[in-house]
Amino acid sequence: MMNFASVFAVLFNGCTGIMAGANMSGELKDPSRAIPLGTIIAVVYTFFIYILLFFLSSFTCDRTLLQEDYGFFRAISLWPPLVLIGIYATSLSASMSSLIGASRILHALAQDDLFGVILAPAKVVSGGGNPWGAVLYSWGLVQLVLLVGKLNTLAAVVTVFYLVAYAAVDLSCLSLEWASAPNFRPTFSLFSWHTCLLGVASCLLMMFLISPGAAGGSLLLMGLLSALLTARGGPSSWGYVSQALLFHQVRKYLLRLDVRKEHVKFWRPQLLLLVGNPRGALPLLRLANQLKKGGLYVLGHVILGDLDSLPSDPVQPQYGAWLSLVDQAQVKAFVDLTLASSVRQGAQHLLRISGLGGMKPNTLVLGFYDDAPPQDHFLTDPAFSEPADGTREGGSPALSTLFPPPRAPGSPRALSPQDYVATMADALKMNKNVVLARACGALPPERLSRGSWSTAQLHHVDVWPLNLLRPRGGPGYVDVCGLFLLQMATILGMVPAWHSARLRIFLCLGPQEAPGAAEGRLRALLSQLRIRAEVQEVVWGEGAGAGSPEEEEEGDFVNGGRGEAEAEALACSANALVRAQQAQGSGGGPGGPEGGDEGPATALTFLYLPRPPADPARYTRYLALLEILSRDLGPTLLIHGVTPVTCTDL
């Protein structure tokens, strides 16, 4: 006795020619018309013949004869040899059609070098272009399959594999339809996503009804082949339906990401890192990647020029080099380039237009403006080691040839100190947070990697959440900007490479302030925010002199009201205070964050960045004070936050 699934598995092999037209599309004169028309006619004709034979046999033959004799047609035929001729003709036609179609597909896979030397013999073609090597390869595979010995079992396996192929075709059409790809315009008038979905469901259902084991094995094999193709395929011009689906879904969810529904509880840093030359900014590029915490990360670059005086846009040809940089540095970042007459104007462009919808940068990251000679990190970073001939795999040029060498010491810069501080002021006016990174090249490579750093190498991350350039050290308790520093340091500690970091928070007390009060409030806040940190109070403001409250407001000290000598003395004192705390933690001397053996070293320091002065004439003095403040501190981030980032409400 046979059940429906068994009969379906045997008879379905008569419909395997549905894909014959698609497999031989390269040989057809008009494939877009011949394939659907020929396929429909063949299916209708086959269905009519099968139905006719079913009825005639059931009307004229005994049930026992139908069950026990597979060759009963010869006994009831007017000319028995005609049945044998028909069997041979049908078998040869179906097998040759499948053999030719399969060999064409095998030859295409071999030509793309997707499976390496395994399919190398399938590349051989005759003088007329016929892939006889692939035909022999396919014939050999067929002989191996025939060793199964049982045709009904073999028919069931073949049917399952064909159903997988048909389901994949239906799924591809369904994906293109759901992705709303404008170039997907099927001419078949009865096409719809409903029929595609029905086809996928029907194929999967029948696969498991015929043979659950063969169905599961075929799906597993298809998944392995797909993974191998993805791993070995590399860049290609095929066009991936996954990209169309991603675009469709990303656009839909970006529209739903309403900026009016933003809440501080779900705040995350979205960084715009301005990079002049990536050769000297590679450590900062990786450190910013660790700070983003799943947020938007954009690499911005300003190309100086005027489009009116140029024959073509110089920006577009450079995107490929920057995207290759992102891939080779293994950071999750977007690239945004712009053309402007000055770096400051270009930075304004990027701050305004980078991102889309609710995903726009809220923090500007800049390298520190100092006199340190630029380093070429491409020469020392293992990820950027390149062949001597200057080419990478596939013949594409090496990154060292796509980016200019670092600026020579003493050579003019594209950005003046005045414009550098003005760029910071512009970002704050646009309500963007500002991060200045200094000496990030001193960070060991393991601290910038994706892996977890050994817990045996303990280190400190120091946070100074109060403005050290205030004469009296400020109010003794953190403000919005101080909490922003704390949040960024906490985010960094969530990265596997920084899990072993010990967070230290330094609270500055004035000479007349009672110790303990500010520390208690901060510890209570840290408990609410579930942040583990060591809090230390240090006295700050001695010898600074008394000033009026107006002079001690944020920014007034760098704006004026005191002499330059006194301002520099205060910055030097603040720098000495920070270095003393670093030396106390590491057991080494000042300025040596890695020195000493008595305790963990300070790996990174977070400093409160004062707001730039309102008077542009004092920008140069302001930058000089920042240089003195952060001198010889090792890797340092000076941060000014303008947006609230913490919330204790339920």
Side-chain angles (χ1 to χ4, degrees), residues 112 137 153 158 176 218 228 245 264 305 372 386 414 512 535 602 615:
D112 290 330
Y137 203 109
T153 302
V158 171
L176 287 169
S218 63
L228 183 60
L245 285 171
V264 66
E386 295 164 343
Q512 307 301 324
V535 181
T602 297
D615 184 5

Side-chain angles (χ1 to χ4, degrees), residues 16-17 19-28 91-109 122 124-125 129-140 142 162:
T16 55
M19 295 297 295
N23 295 339
M24 301 175 62
S25 57
E27 312 294 328
L28 300 175
S91 301
L92 285 174
S93 174
S95 60
M96 290 301 294
S97 173
S98 299
L99 188 63
I100 293 175
S103 63
R104 294 287 181 181
I105 296 174
L106 202 63
H107 176 67
L109 292 175
V124 182
V125 295
N130 290 316
W132 63 270
V135 172
L136 293 178
Y137 203 109
S138 302
W139 177 83
V142 170
Y162 265 104

Side-chain angles (χ1 to χ4, degrees), residues 577-643:
L577 175 68
V578 177
R579 286 194 295 158
Q581 296 301 321
Q582 289 181 348
Q584 182 180 354
S586 64
E594 297 296 336
D597 299 323
E598 297 181 10
T602 297
L604 188 63
T605 302
F606 287 78
L607 293 182
Y608 190 114
L609 175 66
R611 182 181 288 271
D615 184 5
R618 300 187 179 274
Y619 282 174
T620 305
R621 177 177 179 248
Y622 168 79
L623 187 58
L625 291 177
L626 295 183
E627 197 281 330
I628 297 173
L629 174 65
S630 58
R631 183 183 298 167
D632 297 330
L633 296 183
T636 305
L637 296 180
L638 294 96
I639 301 177
H640 190 93
V642 295
T643 55

Side-chain angles (χ1 to χ4, degrees), residues 150-176:
K150 296 176 66 176
L151 287 181
N152 281 354
T153 302
L154 185 61
V157 174
V158 171
T159 296
V160 167
F161 277 105
Y162 265 104
L163 286 172
V164 170
Y166 297 159
V169 173
D170 282 332
L171 184 61
S172 299
C173 295
L174 179 64
S175 301
L176 287 169

Side-chain angles (χ1 to χ4, degrees), residues 222-504:
M222 186 176 68
L224 293 175
L225 290 176
S226 299
L228 183 60
L229 289 176
T230 303
R232 292 186 53 86
S236 66
S237 59
W238 301 333
Y240 295 93
V241 68
S242 60
Q243 296 299 305
L245 285 171
L246 284 173
F247 182 91
H248 183 267
Q249 292 302 107
V250 168
R251 181 194 63 85
K252 181 174 71 174
Y253 284 113
L254 273 176
L255 290 173
R256 297 178 61 181
L257 189 61
D258 194 341
V259 295
R260 296 168 295 183
K261 298 179 181 179
E262 289 182 354
H263 195 278
V264 66
K265 289 190 294 186
F266 311 112
W267 181 90
R268 66 183 69 221
Q270 304 196 78
L271 309 180
L272 170 62
L273 172 61
L274 284 186
V275 180
N277 190 334
R279 285 178 176 271
L282 199 55
L284 175 55
L285 190 144
R286 290 200 170 110
L287 180 61
N289 184 65
Q290 294 175 330
L291 285 171
K292 71 180 186 303
K293 186 53 181 174
L296 180 67
Y297 180 24
V298 180
L299 294 182
H301 176 67
V302 180
I303 301 172
L304 299 179
D306 186 1
L307 195 58
D308 291 339
S309 60
L310 297 173
S312 61
D313 183 15
V315 173
Q316 296 301 324
Q318 296 196 24
Y319 269 100
W322 285 86
L323 292 174
S324 299
L325 170 72
V326 169
D327 294 337
Q328 206 154 337
Q330 296 184 331
V331 297
K332 298 178 180 179
F334 298 94
V335 173
D336 213 344
L337 311 180
T338 188
L339 181 70
S341 58
S342 68
V343 176
R344 179 185 178 186
Q345 288 187 2
Q348 291 179 6
H349 297 169
L350 294 173
L351 283 171
R352 292 185 187 279
I353 65 176
S354 292
L356 190 63
M359 295 188 67
K360 296 183 73 68
N362 57 27
T363 304
L364 174 66
V365 184
L366 298 170
F368 195 80
Y369 198 99
D370 55 16
D371 296 327
Q375 300 180 17
D376 191 350
H377 295 282
F378 280 12
L379 302 178
T380 57
D381 195 293
F384 288 82
S385 58
E386 295 164 343
D389 59 358
T391 59
R392 292 174 293 171
E393 294 183 7
S396 57
L399 283 178
S400 58
T401 63
L402 299 177
F403 294 104
R407 176 182 56 84
S411 60
R413 305 189 183 192
L415 187 64
S416 66
Q418 191 81 7
D419 284 347
Y420 178 81
V421 180
T423 301
M424 297 166 46
D426 293 340
L428 294 175
K429 291 177 183 177
M430 297 179 189
N431 203 38
K432 309 291 185 182
N433 312 295
V434 175
V435 177
L436 305 184
R438 185 171 190 179
C440 290
L443 285 169
E446 59 267 18
R447 289 179 183 152
L448 300 175
S449 65
R450 292 186 175 185
S452 180
W453 201 26
S454 174
T455 55
Q457 300 173 330
L458 298 177
H459 54 287
H460 286 144
V461 173
D462 292 348
V463 181
W464 296 79
L466 296 176
N467 188 356
L468 294 177
L469 293 184
R470 284 183 178 176
R472 290 187 176 179
Y477 187 63
V478 293
D479 54 7
V480 170
C481 181
L483 289 174
F484 187 89
L485 265 75
L486 181 59
Q487 179 82 334
M488 297 297 285
T490 305
I491 287 174
L492 186 64
M494 296 178 180
V495 179
W498 294 84
H499 276 171
S500 60
R502 292 181 177 178
L503 189 60
R504 292 195 304 179

